[in-house]
Amino acid sequence: VGATRTVDEDGHVIEFCRAALASAAMEADPSNMAFCPYTMFVYGTVADPGKVVVGDRRLVGASSEASEAALAAVNQLLQTMLEDVVDEF
C-alpha cells in the first residue's frame, strides 16, 4: 500500500464466535449478523518497545432494547476476556 514505516510489532487479530450469544443477537435483530465474528487484537508498538496493546471491537448501534441487551452481553464477554488476559501478565 506504499507504507514506508513499521508501526506495530507482531500484531494479531483474533476472531471468534460464541454461538449462544450470536444466536441471541441475531434473534433480537437479524442485522446483528454483521457483528460476527467478534474481534480482539494484540500488538506491540515500535514507538514504545516492550509495550503491548490489547483491545477489542466494541459492538454499538443496537436497533432495539432486545438488540442492545444482546450486544451488551457480547461486549461483557469481550471485556472479561481482556481483563483475564491482562491479569495473566
Side-chain angles (χ1 to χ4, degrees):
V1 297
T4 58
R5 94 190 165 128
T6 302
V7 295
D8 74 294
E9 293 181 346
D10 203 23
H12 296 277
V13 174
I14 301 109
E15 297 178 320
F16 67 96
C17 190
R18 168 78 55 85
L21 292 177
S23 179
M26 287 184 273
E27 286 177 13
D29 181 346
S31 68
N32 285 337
M33 182 184 308
F35 294 117
C36 244
Y38 310 130
T39 304
M40 300 175 74
F41 56 86
V42 59
Y43 63 90
T45 63
V46 172
D48 193 357
K51 179 180 179 180
V52 176
V53 178
V54 296
D56 60 33
R57 181 179 60 203
R58 289 291 151 153
L59 310 186
V60 298
S63 60
S64 66
E65 281 187 32
S67 183
E68 188 173 325
L71 297 184
V74 175
N75 285 330
Q76 182 57 54
L77 172 67
L78 292 167
Q79 182 65 39
T80 299
M81 291 172 70
L82 287 175
E83 289 171 0
D84 287 349
V85 167
V86 171
D87 287 346
E88 287 295 316
F89 298 93

